[in-house]
Amino acid sequence: MCRDAAAPFNSNRADIVLRSSDDVYFRVYRCLLALASPFFDSMFDLPQPQARSAHEEMHNGLEVIPVTENSRVLDMLLRFCYPATIDDHRLENAVDVEGVLEAAIKYGMEEVERSVRRTLLEPSILEKETLHVFAIAYRFRYEAEAGAAATCLLRQPAPTANPTTLKYISQGDLRNLAVYRTKCVQAVLALGNNLAWFQQKESYGFFKWWTNCCMCTQRADARYLMHGAYAREWWAEYMEETLAILQETPCAAAVHQNMQKALEWAGGCTFCRRKSQPYMLDFVQRFAEAVDEAVAGVSAYLLVRRWPP
């Protein structure tokens, strides 16, 4: 059933009507469409026939242009074209973003495309619908956004294929995403197997704490040997559990997950209970920064080197 769109697309002063695929009439202004879209600008420049065709659709005395977008997408797209509604985007999810991007590209609305493209990196969309964002970025050949989504995916368990992603990216491209993830895992696990990176940054206070004797049992693990002293058992246990988490989610957030648990373990020793917290905080912070650096050092280029035709 046909109906009129909500304000501001129901103005009696409008001079053209767009009809969505679900039969909603949008009364709009030619001048605003022409400014936003070279497609409509060219259409409105075409000579108009003297007499109207019997098949030409009219609505309340205005010419109707049917479009393939549904009313939700058309409403969001047009709000980017109206000065009074430019801040009222209402792009709530990745499906909205993809629909408006597709329409903006179709009609040559470059400014709208740039504005909508930025929303792919908004946390409310990127962090909640990361794989869909990656698929959108891949579809429209947005290299920076594809790389950001790939990095964000590291905070989640490895993704599996679904109809949304396979619509625009192949199984081979998903394998490339898995290869990227594997390289990131290898890079961050290397940090736990050799603490030389930390010894270059540690404070003198940490050195004194690390080498000071206390009642804690030490674990004879060469990976955690620094300054001739093995790690305390609770600290080594923190590293073991953290490396296991990093293997599943190779990101800086993983480093913080078991810190409080480690400090509770340290509470069994009087010396560690009094001294460990600031040095543990310092180590975890530097560890998180090193993870970020390691991930940044893994090129995401392989994800976008072969764009779809």
Side-chain angles (χ1 to χ4, degrees):
M1 182 177 178
C2 298
R3 59 184 175 87
D4 286 332
F9 309 119
N10 57 358
S11 172
N12 291 328
R13 296 184 179 183
D15 53 9
I16 193 76
V17 174
L18 301 181
R19 176 170 55 80
S20 66
S21 61
D22 51 345
D23 294 326
V24 177
Y25 291 105
F26 289 76
R27 300 183 193 183
V28 293
Y29 296 89
R30 291 173 185 261
C31 60
L32 292 179
L33 284 182
L35 285 171
S37 164
F39 173 89
F40 285 110
D41 190 28
S42 299
M43 177 186 291
F44 299 148
D45 252 356
L46 294 174
Q48 300 298 311
Q50 294 295 325
R52 298 205 176 272
S53 165
H55 301 290
E56 186 174 355
E57 184 179 356
M58 302 292 290
H59 181 69
N60 292 338
L62 298 177
E63 178 187 354
V64 174
I65 301 175
V67 296
T68 57
E69 289 72 33
N70 63 40
S71 57
R72 180 176 177 82
V73 169
L74 191 56
D75 181 277
M76 292 184 290
L77 177 73
L78 291 173
R79 288 181 187 278
F80 282 94
C81 305
Y82 271 54
T85 61
I86 197 167
D87 294 325
D88 187 19
H89 299 161
R90 296 191 300 178
L91 299 180
E92 298 176 357
N93 51 54
V95 172
D96 286 348
V97 174
E98 185 172 16
V100 177
L101 273 175
E102 185 174 10
I105 293 169
K106 171 183 172 181
Y107 297 121
M109 298 177 174
E110 294 182 357
E111 287 298 326
V112 175
E113 181 188 358
R114 277 193 284 271
S115 295
V116 178
R117 181 177 175 176
R118 286 195 290 270
T119 65
L120 287 171
L121 298 180
E122 291 181 0
S124 60
I125 293 178
L126 177 62
E127 294 176 4
K128 292 181 180 178
E129 302 179 79
T130 315
L131 189 57
H132 194 171
V133 169
F134 177 78
I136 293 170
Y138 199 91
R139 175 189 179 187
F140 295 117
R141 307 185 182 189
Y142 296 156
E143 184 171 344
E145 290 78 3
T151 302
C152 191
L153 280 170
L154 299 177
R155 305 173 196 168
Q156 309 166 15
T160 55
N162 61 57
T164 299
T165 53
L166 291 179
K167 186 176 179 181
Y168 304 116
I169 56 179
S170 67
Q171 288 281 8
D173 298 317
L174 284 175
R175 282 194 292 272
N176 283 342
L177 188 60
V179 169
Y180 167 73
R181 187 184 189 89
T182 298
K183 289 182 179 295
C184 290
V185 169
Q186 292 170 345
V188 299
L189 291 184
L191 298 171
N193 292 328
N194 187 337
L195 297 177
W197 59 269
F198 177 71
Q199 292 186 69
Q200 297 170 4
K201 303 177 180 181
E202 68 178 346
S203 65
Y204 179 66
F206 185 95
F207 164 78
K208 287 182 64 178
W209 170 77
W210 184 269
T211 56
N212 206 315
C213 294
C214 68
M215 61 182 291
C216 288
T217 304
Q218 291 183 315
R219 183 181 297 186
D221 189 327
R223 293 176 300 170
Y224 312 138
L225 179 66
M226 291 193 294
H227 309 296
Y230 287 116
R232 293 163 173 83
E233 181 65 31
W234 61 263
W235 192 93
E237 190 62 29
Y238 158 80
M239 287 297 296
E240 291 296 316
E241 293 194 3
T242 298
L243 292 175
I245 296 171
L246 285 170
Q247 191 152 5
E248 296 299 319
T249 53
C251 63
V255 174
H256 294 274
Q257 288 187 31
N258 281 331
M259 185 187 71
Q260 191 57 44
K261 185 178 178 181
L263 291 174
E264 290 172 3
W265 288 334
C269 168
T270 305
F271 175 79
C272 289
R273 185 168 60 246
R274 289 186 295 107
K275 299 286 187 178
S276 294
Q277 184 167 347
Y279 301 120
M280 191 66 187
L281 289 171
D282 178 53
F283 175 80
V284 168
Q285 182 60 39
R286 293 182 187 274
F287 195 6
E289 291 170 358
V291 167
D292 279 337
E293 291 172 6
V295 168
V298 178
S299 174
Y301 176 66
L302 61 89
L303 300 173
V304 293
R305 65 183 175 186
R306 293 167 57 193
W307 292 112

